[in-house]
Amino acid sequence: MSEITTNFNDRTIEYNQLLDDFKSLIKKNNLKFTIQREVILETLYNSDEHLTPEELHRIIQEKYPELKTGIATVYRTLSLLEDSNIVTSLSFGAQGKKYELGAKDHHDHLICTVCGDITEFVDEEIEKRQHKITDELGFKMLDHSMQIYGVCKACQEKNKSN
Amino acid sequence: MSEITTNFNDRTIEYNQLLDDFKSLIKKNNLKFTIQREVILETLYNSDEHLTPEELHRIIQEKYPELKTGIATVYRTLSLLEDSNIVTSLSFGAQGKKYELGAKDHHDHLICTVCGDITEFVDEEIEKRQHKITDELGFKMLDHSMQIYGVCKACQEKNKSN
DNA sequence: GTCTCTGCAAACCCTTTGCAGGGGG
DNA sequence: CCCCCTGCAAAGGGTTTGCAGAGAC
């Protein structure tokens, strides 16, 4: 039995639960619950992809054109969600960040450099080693991220058949 | 009194090697070897830090003010060096990249979110697990990077004494 | 002499901010 | 009603690009 698990797309967290959490957070900080904030959370929830702020904005504009949601609101809401650990971001150099719901369990990323597809995985042994390393150095770990770049199975096969 | 040989010579030899590699690369691609390109490589070599393009530019301007090296040249040369796998970069979201010589052995990074200091480490067990994961998924690994974010020992102690 | 490389400045892209009006609690 | 949130547009920060002259080969 492998310790490796992939693709958390079978949602462990119900949307209503997530929404409730977000509402509590908002109430606790004397913020306001707006339709824009709800739509951004919902869109992130319903997407299996890692989205850039721009992609998120475009999807929302297409689905709810009457809201005229501004890109600035998307950025502001993503910051709020990231600060609250509801979403997490992946950096892609100067080409910006991609966001995903962070309510799932922690996981790392396999990134295909051909098709851009991102696969998630968790490895308990790696997690353990990370703690061991930081403990030994007296480093207080707050977060970590790991990306493996390469060519996914599908792209390798596609390449063979050409 | 004999000439003293120190381990500094190792670095000198490595630098000449590096420079030769760079020159071959340049010749092979019908590019030109310029003083600016040499100074950029040399500065990266002589720095133990991970540098941003801006930092690199500032150091070069201070050391060789007569060259009036432009920031654009720094960016162009870094791209050239990265494409050639002579340097590697670390992403910091929208806040840009930091570069380091990639000729050293592979290693991962501990990044202090307080002082920005970067510590390098290698853990064989993690490297092994990464190969195991990609093998099982039929993913062809080309590269990987891991960053652990947190507070370094020095910053924790500084914080205590305040 | 040819053709790349350079510095400069403008352009670009992504992200943040200031502002006045809108809307949640 | 207060004051947070929004859309808009302008500003910001890092990076790239167009250009004409300088320089490598």
Side-chain angles (χ1 to χ4, degrees):
Chain A
M1 196 61 188
S2 168
E3 295 168 59
I4 301 166
T5 46
T6 61
N7 290 335
F8 286 77
N9 294 337
D10 48 328
R11 298 271 179 235
T12 46
I13 294 208
E14 291 299 321
Y15 179 63
N16 286 339
Q17 157 98 51
L18 191 63
L19 191 58
D20 284 350
D21 289 350
F22 189 32
K23 284 183 178 170
S24 318
L25 171 87
I26 282 175
K27 181 166 284 180
K28 198 174 70 187
N29 292 87
N30 292 319
L31 305 176
K32 315 218 158 168
F33 185 72
T34 65
I35 182 67
Q36 287 86 350
R37 284 176 175 173
E38 174 164 15
V39 160
I40 288 167
L41 186 69
E42 183 214 287
T43 305
L44 276 168
Y45 181 80
N46 287 326
S47 171
D48 289 334
E49 307 290 320
H50 295 65
L51 301 174
T52 62
E54 253 174 296
E55 288 165 345
L56 190 49
H57 182 230
R58 184 181 44 72
I59 292 170
I60 289 169
Q61 280 192 319
E62 284 169 8
K63 191 161 179 188
Y64 305 101
E66 73 282 6
L67 286 183
K68 296 200 189 312
T69 311
I71 188 82
T73 298
V74 173
Y75 276 104
R76 284 184 284 228
T77 303
L78 283 173
S79 296
L80 173 64
L81 290 169
E82 192 173 15
D83 289 347
S84 318
N85 291 314
I86 293 177
V87 306
T88 54
S89 63
L90 269 182
S91 285
F92 284 80
Q95 281 61 250
K97 293 180 176 182
K98 289 193 177 188
Y99 291 81
E100 63 173 345
L101 270 185
K104 313 177 213 174
D105 290 336
H106 165 77
H107 56 261
D108 296 311
H109 297 92
L110 280 167
I111 303 171
C112 177
T113 55
V114 178
C115 66
D117 188 55
I118 299 176
T119 305
E120 301 166 354
F121 72 92
V122 181
D123 184 89
E124 285 308 325
E125 188 59 34
I126 290 179
E127 305 289 318
K128 269 186 232 159
R129 298 293 300 183
Q130 288 174 331
H131 280 98
K132 184 162 186 288
I133 290 160
T134 52
D135 286 353
E136 281 177 13
L137 295 174
F139 190 92
K140 183 180 172 191
M141 174 160 42
L142 297 175
D143 192 13
H144 63 265
S145 75
M146 188 173 108
Q147 300 83 237
I148 297 181
Y149 300 93
V151 186
C152 71
K153 204 170 187 176
C155 285
Q156 287 176 58
E157 282 162 8
K158 208 175 295 169
N159 193 46
K160 267 184 219 158
S161 64
N162 285 354
Chain B
M1 189 73 70
S2 66
E3 281 291 319
I4 296 172
T5 306
T6 69
N7 58 9
F8 183 73
N9 282 347
D10 294 342
R11 284 183 71 83
T12 305
I13 290 163
E14 279 175 31
Y15 179 63
N16 287 337
Q17 161 94 54
L18 191 63
L19 192 57
D20 285 349
D21 289 350
F22 189 32
K23 284 182 178 171
S24 320
L25 171 87
I26 282 174
K27 182 166 285 181
K28 199 174 67 185
N29 292 87
N30 292 317
L31 305 176
K32 311 209 162 180
F33 186 73
T34 64
I35 183 67
Q36 287 85 352
R37 284 176 176 173
E38 174 164 14
V39 160
I40 288 167
L41 185 69
E42 184 214 286
T43 305
L44 275 169
Y45 181 79
N46 286 326
S47 171
D48 290 332
E49 307 290 321
H50 296 65
L51 300 175
T52 62
E54 253 173 299
E55 288 166 345
L56 190 49
H57 182 228
R58 184 180 44 71
I59 292 170
I60 290 169
Q61 280 193 320
E62 283 169 7
K63 190 160 180 190
Y64 304 100
E66 72 282 5
L67 286 183
K68 296 201 189 313
T69 310
I71 187 82
T73 297
V74 173
Y75 277 104
R76 284 184 286 228
T77 303
L78 283 172
S79 296
L80 173 64
L81 290 168
E82 191 172 16
D83 289 347
S84 318
N85 293 312
I86 293 177
V87 306
T88 55
S89 63
L90 267 182
S91 285
F92 285 81
Q95 279 61 251
K97 293 181 177 182
K98 289 194 176 186
Y99 292 81
E100 65 174 343
L101 270 185
K104 312 182 212 171
D105 289 337
H106 166 77
H107 55 260
D108 297 311
H109 297 92
L110 279 168
I111 302 170
C112 178
T113 55
V114 177
C115 66
D117 188 54
I118 299 175
T119 305
E120 299 169 356
F121 72 92
V122 180
D123 185 86
E124 284 308 324
E125 189 59 36
I126 290 179
E127 305 288 317
K128 268 187 234 158
R129 298 293 302 182
Q130 289 173 331
H131 281 99
K132 183 166 188 287
I133 290 160
T134 52
D135 286 352
E136 283 182 15
L137 296 173
F139 189 92
K140 184 181 171 190
M141 175 161 36
L142 296 175
D143 192 14
H144 63 264
S145 74
M146 187 173 109
Q147 299 83 236
I148 297 180
Y149 300 92
V151 186
C152 72
K153 204 170 186 175
C155 285
Q156 287 176 57
E157 281 161 10
K158 208 174 295 169
N159 192 47
K160 268 182 218 158
S161 63
N162 284 354

